[in-house]
Amino acid sequence: MADTTGPPTGNSTGQPTTTGNPPGSDDNPAPRKSSWKYIGPGIVVAATGVGAGDLVATLIAGSNFGYTLLWAAIAGCLVKISLAEAAGRWHLATGRTLFDGWASLGRWTTWFFVAYVIVWGFVYGAAAMSSSALPLQALFPDVMDLRWWAVACGLVGLVFVWFNKYAVFEKVMTVLVGVMFVVTVYLAVRVTPHLGEAFAGLLPVLPDEKDSVLNTLGLIGGVGGTITLAAYGYWVNAKGWTNAGWMKVMRLDNRIAYLTTGVFVVAMLFVGAELLHSANVAIASGDKGLVQLSDILEARYGSATATFFLIGFFATSFTSLIGVWHGVSLMFADFVARYRDRGETTTATSAAGSPSSSTAAHVASGDRERSWPFRAYLLWLTFPPIVLLFQGQPFRLIILYGVLGAAFLPFLAGTLLWLLNSARTPRPWRNGLLSNAMLVLAGLLFLVLCVKQIWDQPWGDFF
């Protein structure tokens, strides 16, 4: 069941009750007082959104430019706050899920979502398993091959998410985030940052090099999450927050999420600036860069520090794995539920005519996490990608994965702007000037990065 700190999600018969505010409803739930004791979904989205790749990108930025782009890392957190807040606000203000909102905008959103979750999930599954396997192989080099470590990580993630509901999932993610936090802060303190230079890095200055604008935008856009930003609203509902009375709590939770994310990326930028930039040491991009960093840490500070770092590296990678296994499977289950009920007669529909199954209360009830679509997508994330681990990743699929991944955040920003400025959202919870400005900024930022990534793909070899 959903977390017991939330509002009631069932009646005496055990069936979920619609505690949300469908469009047009006069229901005005009393606001909950924001409190630290409710925090949870924000920790989950922070843990899932910050993967090994994000830490490497920030580490390399510190290695190349010192503290110059500290402001860009922080700006990335602010941009993602606006996107996650908008997704959570839609779920709470309307009592409907984000996919239900997308579907009301036209069939094209469904086609995009289906293509995205199929192709993206297939390739991401292999990448997430490999990322989690790297630190384990470094910690236990003589146990088994990297590919088998990757398979083991995928299967452990599958079993964990399959047999546990949100409440247990959140607790485990919180523990792993605690490990990540301690490790990254310890490293940042260990390298003894120059605080004067760090404060100077808060000024928005671009590095003096070719493509500095695009590189800076890439750092801003790469801080913490892609589809996990859309999954945030689902985790909010799974927590038991299903109506606008939880809005203040959600906003505090969301800020905590990206404050945590900011600590992770700023700490790794400190490490890059002090440990790598000052010694003019380069590391590889991608997850293997963190394995290289462990070797550098061992040479500089000893094996204990290197081992401690590898444990944090595993926590970072594995939280991203189980976070996607849970959050995106929850979104896929919602997609199937909506279209399974499409065309059936129902007495509870939104203003756009959406079925009653796509409500926050249904997500809060926990039924989604026991449904066959949820488990089917879990299997899709786990078993087909194992083939890629042993046979290599097909060239055309990787290109499609890159394009769809680049297009998702412009899609998310654009559709949230549309939904939250229309009659689909109750008037008190529609976008204000600041929300619109941040979503427009996010949309433009990710559109530029999307065009660049599509442009950079080797299309000549694709056909």
Side-chain angles (χ1 to χ4, degrees):
M1 293 298 291
D3 191 282
T4 55
T5 60
T9 56
N11 55 27
S12 60
T13 65
Q15 297 300 312
T17 57
T18 306
T19 57
N21 290 337
S25 172
D26 293 326
D27 195 13
N28 186 25
R32 297 272 180 161
K33 184 178 180 180
S34 59
S35 171
W36 287 80
K37 70 180 181 179
Y38 294 129
I39 299 303
I43 297 297
V44 172
V45 77
T48 307
V50 179
D54 298 291
L55 296 187
V56 171
T58 311
L59 191 67
I60 291 175
S63 172
N64 292 338
F65 310 118
Y67 294 102
T68 304
L69 291 181
L70 179 59
W71 68 271
I74 295 173
C77 293
L78 296 176
V79 167
K80 299 295 178 63
I81 282 176
S82 65
L83 283 167
E85 187 276 339
R89 177 154 45 94
W90 164 265
H91 278 249
L92 296 182
T94 66
R96 300 272 165 191
T97 63
L98 185 56
F99 187 83
D100 191 56
W102 285 340
S104 73
L105 301 179
R107 190 169 294 180
W108 65 275
T109 60
T110 300
W111 289 113
F112 177 82
F113 178 78
V114 170
Y116 181 85
V117 296
I118 290 175
V119 175
W120 181 88
F122 185 37
V123 180
Y124 180 83
M129 288 187 273
S130 294
S131 179
S132 298
L134 280 168
L136 291 177
Q137 189 189 43
L139 285 166
F140 310 104
D142 300 322
V143 175
M144 58 183 168
D145 183 73
L146 177 67
R147 291 174 295 184
W148 289 109
W149 275 119
V151 172
C153 289
L155 293 178
V156 169
L158 169 70
V159 171
F160 171 72
V161 176
W162 188 290
F163 289 106
N164 290 291
K165 286 193 175 183
Y166 176 80
V168 175
F169 166 71
E170 182 190 289
K171 287 180 174 63
V172 171
M173 293 288 272
T174 301
V175 170
L176 292 174
V177 165
V179 174
M180 293 167 60
F181 188 90
V182 171
V183 170
T184 53
V185 171
Y186 167 77
L187 288 179
V189 173
R190 193 77 169 84
V191 300
T192 317
H194 289 80
L195 296 181
E197 294 180 20
F199 281 116
L202 296 175
L203 296 174
V205 176
L206 293 175
D208 186 17
E209 67 159 28
K210 183 181 178 182
D211 294 332
S212 62
V213 174
L214 288 174
N215 290 334
T216 303
L217 292 179
L219 178 62
I220 295 173
V223 176
T226 52
I227 196 171
T228 55
L229 293 164
Y232 178 63
Y234 287 85
W235 286 322
V236 162
N237 291 158
K239 179 74 169 176
W241 308 346
T242 55
N243 59 45
W246 290 98
M247 199 70 74
K248 286 185 178 180
V249 177
M250 182 274 294
R251 285 171 167 162
L252 174 64
D253 179 74
N254 181 45
R255 291 174 189 133
I256 295 301
Y258 283 95
L259 176 62
T260 306
T261 300
V263 169
F264 293 150
V265 297
V266 168
M268 292 307 289
L269 190 138
F270 282 5
V271 173
E274 294 296 338
L275 192 63
L276 305 179
H277 181 69
S278 60
N280 197 25
V281 175
I283 62 170
S285 60
D287 301 343
K288 291 183 179 179
L290 293 184
V291 177
Q292 287 181 268
L293 178 61
S294 73
D295 295 334
I296 296 169
L297 288 169
E298 182 172 10
R300 179 73 68 88
Y301 302 114
S303 59
T305 296
T307 299
F308 190 47
F309 168 72
L310 287 171
I311 293 170
F313 177 6
F314 173 74
T316 300
S317 297
F318 195 65
T319 51
S320 292
L321 186 152
I322 60 175
V324 167
W325 264 229
H326 186 276
V328 184
S329 296
L330 204 56
M331 294 179 69
F332 183 77
D334 184 54
F335 154 71
V336 173
R338 189 186 193 283
Y339 277 86
R340 183 177 57 197
D341 292 350
R342 191 180 182 189
E344 292 184 6
T345 303
T346 178
T347 58
T349 60
S350 72
S354 56
S356 59
S357 63
S358 288
T359 63
H362 277 82
V363 178
S365 72
D367 292 342
R368 291 280 189 271
E369 296 163 276
R370 290 287 183 263
S371 67
W372 70 261
F374 181 91
R375 289 175 167 174
Y377 194 73
L378 269 178
L379 296 174
W380 175 254
L381 282 168
T382 306
F383 289 105
I386 289 175
V387 176
L388 301 185
L389 294 174
F390 287 90
Q391 296 187 356
Q393 299 182 358
F395 178 73
R396 288 183 176 85
L397 190 63
I398 296 304
I399 292 180
L400 293 176
Y401 167 79
V403 170
L404 288 168
F408 184 80
L409 285 178
F411 167 80
L412 177 62
T415 53
L416 285 172
L417 268 170
W418 191 345
L419 290 169
L420 294 170
N421 284 290
S422 71
R424 296 173 179 84
T425 303
R427 188 174 295 279
W429 302 114
R430 292 179 196 170
N431 275 2
L433 184 61
L434 179 60
S435 296
N436 277 326
M438 291 299 292
L439 287 178
V440 168
L441 178 64
L444 292 175
L445 165 67
F446 294 120
L447 184 61
V448 170
L449 295 174
C450 175
V451 170
K452 181 182 185 298
Q453 187 158 341
I454 293 173
W455 182 268
D456 290 343
Q457 297 292 339
W459 293 105
D461 298 328
F462 184 86
F463 298 102

